[in-house]
Amino acid sequence: MANGVYYGEKRSKNHSSNNPFAHIVEQATAKQNRKTVLIVAGVIGTFFLWSTFGGFSQPKYQRPSYLIPQDYYGNQSRIPHIAFQPPETVDYRVPDSVDTFSNYKYRQTCNISSLDLHSPFSPLCQTREDMLQAMSWGGRIGHDAPYMPRGCDFRWFTTEEICDILSRFQKVIIIGDSMMRHIIGSINVLIRRDLGYGAVTDWNFSPEERRDCFCNYQFNVKACSIQGIFKTADVIRHDPDSLACDPKSVDVTIEVIVRYPVPDNEIAQFRETLGTSKPAKPYAFIYGHGLWNDLDLQAHLNWVDTLEQVVQEQLPYLRNKDAFWPRLVVTPNAAGVKKPDEWLVSQGNKALSMYEDSVRIEDGKRGIEHLGTYNMSLQANMYDGGHCDLRGNLIKAMMVLNWLNMLEVEKH
């Protein structure tokens, strides 16, 4: 034997023979070592879980992320020499490439596919600011071609995703004119899964109304205005089975306030809608104004300031600097060829374009974010000279829903 091994065994035997408790000590030491190893392993495992999932305390509400990880783009297969790259190959973007209207009522009769309205591409916009700019500056490659934001894309949500977005808010309050009424009408089309009558009160229609307010004609401002749905509460009250969302989680309403000065009765109705107590979930405000005051910028600013004052009087907590008060202004769409000649100077496309830029700047100073619809609608079919048809209004509604989705409600 080697000396080192022999002497080591010798010392061990001598030690054991001299100390009868040595084996007990050795067993205790081994047990302690195992305990130490387990503790260290537990600490390492706990740290791994904490670093992976972001801590022990998770927010009560978790929503699907709308962001694509930045390192994804470096690994994505890109197709050279094409103007637009295909959408990201992640589950979140799958609905953008299929017809989300396939199971809607009157899908074949109305002959509208979501793929006719939006052509998806990558990258997906990563910030709310970028998305609003992309949606405002986007357009179409040809007359009535699918709409595409500029520079980065938005989502075309499924009805289930739309229900989830709306459920994050106590109330979504839309304020404005017939163009804004068509946005809430289109939101109702989406959450009722009904292209034929989703925007109107079809539960009490006469045979004539069912004929005159069907599909694209739901947005006939002369024949079907009063038949429009002004709040989801009416759907819940009269036709709850048509609503795809949980009735307790969705509240979208419109206050028809079209001009400045604002009449007293409209102010009173607005106050009633707002209430006086802080809601459990945030309110979101969506403004739209212009044509009723001939695109007069100062009249618009007075209109907005009046409404903002009423909101703060009713809900004083919004005066705090750190209050979460999401507001969006949607400027009017482009004029169509049927626009009456007498309005082409005060409400024509030159005036509309200048008004959109001015509102974006001036409302931005008030903390109100801006969505332009001029470029989106410039090459679109118009129902009449001033209003988009069903297709254009569905795009507007989806733009607004993308803005709502990007609001970080869970942080407030």
Side-chain angles (χ1 to χ4, degrees):
M1 283 188 176
N3 290 339
V5 176
Y6 174 82
Y7 289 126
E9 292 179 351
K10 184 77 171 179
R11 282 194 298 270
S12 177
K13 291 179 180 179
N14 289 340
H15 178 73
S16 298
S17 62
N18 294 334
N19 186 358
F21 301 101
H23 68 285
I24 299 176
V25 174
E26 289 176 355
Q27 291 177 356
T29 302
K31 185 176 181 180
Q32 182 64 34
N33 289 340
R34 287 195 299 271
K35 183 177 180 181
T36 302
V37 169
L38 290 173
I39 292 173
V40 171
V43 170
I44 293 173
T46 301
F47 177 78
F48 174 80
L49 291 173
W50 181 86
S51 61
T52 301
F53 298 104
F56 300 107
S57 179
Q58 294 292 319
K60 293 181 179 179
Y61 175 71
Q62 290 290 306
R63 58 171 161 148
S65 175
Y66 53 81
L67 301 178
I68 306 297
Q70 291 297 318
D71 58 358
Y72 174 83
Y73 296 110
N75 300 325
Q76 184 183 16
S77 297
R78 298 180 64 82
I79 302 175
H81 312 304
I82 64 171
F84 300 96
Q85 295 294 326
E88 297 86 351
T89 54
V90 292
D91 291 345
Y92 185 60
R93 297 224 61 189
V94 169
D96 297 344
S97 300
V98 300
D99 179 15
T100 58
F101 298 160
S102 61
N103 63 344
Y104 279 30
K105 291 182 180 178
Y106 304 106
R107 161 65 181 84
Q108 300 302 322
T109 308
C110 297
N111 192 28
I112 299 178
S113 164
S114 64
L115 298 176
D116 297 334
L117 309 184
H118 168 239
S119 183
F121 65 97
S122 66
L124 187 68
C125 295
Q126 295 292 287
T127 68
R128 196 166 68 250
E129 180 182 5
D130 288 347
M131 182 167 285
L132 285 172
Q133 179 172 290
M135 293 191 298
S136 299
W137 291 1
R140 304 164 189 266
I141 306 175
H143 182 75
D144 213 34
Y147 164 75
M148 301 177 72
R150 180 180 177 180
C152 59
D153 202 8
F154 74 163
R155 281 292 321 285
W156 195 273
F157 296 112
T158 65
T159 296
E160 292 78 11
E161 289 174 314
I162 294 169
C163 292
D164 174 73
I165 292 167
L166 297 176
S167 71
R168 302 170 198 164
F169 302 90
Q170 190 75 25
K171 195 186 296 284
V172 176
I173 304 174
I174 300 172
I175 310 107
D177 53 20
S178 55
M179 290 188 178
M180 304 306 293
R181 192 173 70 244
H182 292 172
I183 289 178
I184 189 174
S186 297
I187 290 175
N188 279 297
V189 168
L190 295 168
I191 62 177
R192 297 179 75 197
R193 293 195 180 110
D194 188 344
L195 292 169
Y197 297 108
V200 289
T201 59
D202 59 315
W203 52 81
N204 59 10
F205 269 12
S206 66
E208 291 77 16
E209 288 172 318
R210 295 193 70 82
R211 179 196 64 215
D212 296 339
C213 301
F214 180 60
C215 283
N216 205 36
Y217 296 96
Q218 295 174 87
F219 297 110
N220 184 331
V221 295
K222 294 181 179 179
C224 302
S225 288
I226 61 173
Q227 292 90 340
I229 295 174
F230 287 69
K231 50 189 175 181
T232 53
D234 289 340
V235 179
I236 295 169
R237 182 179 302 111
H238 298 287
D239 192 12
D241 292 339
S242 72
L243 191 65
C245 309
D246 178 356
K248 297 179 181 179
S249 68
V250 175
D251 191 350
V252 185
T253 187
I254 184 170
E255 294 296 320
V256 180
I257 303 176
V258 302
R259 61 158 59 97
Y260 180 83
V262 182
D264 291 341
N265 64 309
E266 294 178 2
I267 292 290
Q269 176 60 44
F270 187 37
R271 291 184 185 277
E272 184 177 340
T273 297
L274 294 170
T276 56
S277 58
K278 183 177 180 179
K281 295 183 290 187
Y283 285 162
F285 295 84
I286 303 165
Y287 301 128
H289 169 266
L291 295 179
W292 281 80
N293 280 111
D294 281 339
L295 305 180
D296 183 314
L297 179 61
Q298 189 57 56
H300 166 75
L301 297 176
N302 293 339
W303 181 86
V304 165
D305 290 342
T306 299
L307 298 179
E308 296 269 279
Q309 181 179 348
V310 171
V311 171
Q312 292 182 73
E313 288 173 355
Q314 293 296 118
L315 305 171
Y317 74 91
L318 291 176
R319 293 192 178 117
N320 299 330
K321 291 184 179 180
D322 59 346
F324 183 58
W325 186 9
R327 292 159 291 162
L328 178 72
V329 60
V330 182
T331 40
N333 52 252
V337 296
K338 295 180 181 179
K339 190 84 170 181
D341 290 347
E342 61 265 30
W343 300 112
L344 290 182
V345 174
S346 62
Q347 297 183 12
N349 282 337
K350 179 180 179 180
L352 285 162
S353 179
M354 294 175 64
Y355 179 77
E356 181 167 286
D357 287 341
S358 299
V359 168
R360 174 177 55 82
I361 294 169
E362 295 302 323
D363 279 8
K365 296 176 182 177
R366 291 161 168 77
I368 303 172
E369 297 179 332
H370 170 256
L371 171 63
T373 64
Y374 176 83
N375 289 313
M376 179 278 294
S377 54
L378 194 57
Q379 294 190 80
N381 278 333
M382 307 294 287
Y383 182 80
D384 52 30
H387 299 86
C388 289
D389 63 3
L390 175 57
R391 297 175 181 230
N393 283 308
L394 286 168
I395 295 172
K396 282 188 185 182
M398 198 59 68
M399 287 173 153
V400 169
L401 289 163
N402 271 268
W403 174 75
L404 290 170
N405 181 59
M406 296 288 274
L407 293 169
E408 297 178 325
V409 177
E410 64 274 16
K411 293 185 178 180
H412 300 275

